[in-house]
Amino acid sequence: MAPATGKKSKKTVESINSRLQLVMRSGKAALGYKTTMKSLRSTKAKMVIISSNCPPLRKSEIEYYAMLAKCSVHHYAGNNSDLGTACGKFYRVSMLSVTDAGDSDILRPSA
């Protein structure tokens, strides 16, 4: 039974990666802590994605601002290198905020 759950989690990671690539191509996203905070304060952010190795204090601060801005938070399964690669960048990304989803259905809650 363990491989089946591993396969499902891998499929969800691939799903979020493909949706993220579509957002980067057709929508608008702000990469990094500072720009994510700016978009949350101006309530332009619709979703925040946080990497797994983001510091706990920074993570809780972003979650608090996201709660105030009424936007959803997704905890990315991979680390900041994986998140940067999923965004199509060659650098590490600790978090990003999606301001415009474009053609992607990333904002729709997955069932």
Side-chain angles (χ1 to χ4, degrees), residues 91-110:
Y91 47 84
R92 299 182 295 263
V93 176
S94 65
M95 63 189 66
L96 68 105
S97 63
V98 177
T99 53
D100 178 29
D103 298 332
S104 176
D105 62 343
I106 198 165
L107 300 176
R108 192 173 309 135
S110 57

Side-chain angles (χ1 to χ4, degrees), residues 21-102:
Q21 287 172 351
L22 199 55
V23 166
M24 297 306 287
R25 238 183 290 128
S26 65
K28 287 188 179 173
L31 303 178
Y33 173 71
K34 282 184 180 178
T35 53
T36 299
M37 287 294 284
K38 284 179 189 174
S39 65
L40 281 172
R41 275 192 240 120
S42 63
T43 64
K44 289 181 181 174
K46 293 180 176 64
M47 180 182 207
V48 176
I49 300 174
I50 305 173
S51 68
S52 64
N53 64 342
C54 184
L57 183 65
R58 188 172 282 188
K59 190 182 290 189
S60 63
E61 184 182 13
I62 289 291
E63 287 169 348
Y64 177 69
Y65 273 90
M67 184 257 314
L68 291 176
K70 295 182 179 74
C71 80
S72 60
V73 176
H74 180 270
H75 296 281
Y76 189 72
N79 59 12
N80 54 4
S81 298
D82 298 335
L83 186 57
T85 305
C87 292
K89 305 296 179 190
F90 293 110
Y91 47 84
R92 299 182 295 263
V93 176
S94 65
M95 63 189 66
L96 68 105
S97 63
V98 177
T99 53
D100 178 29

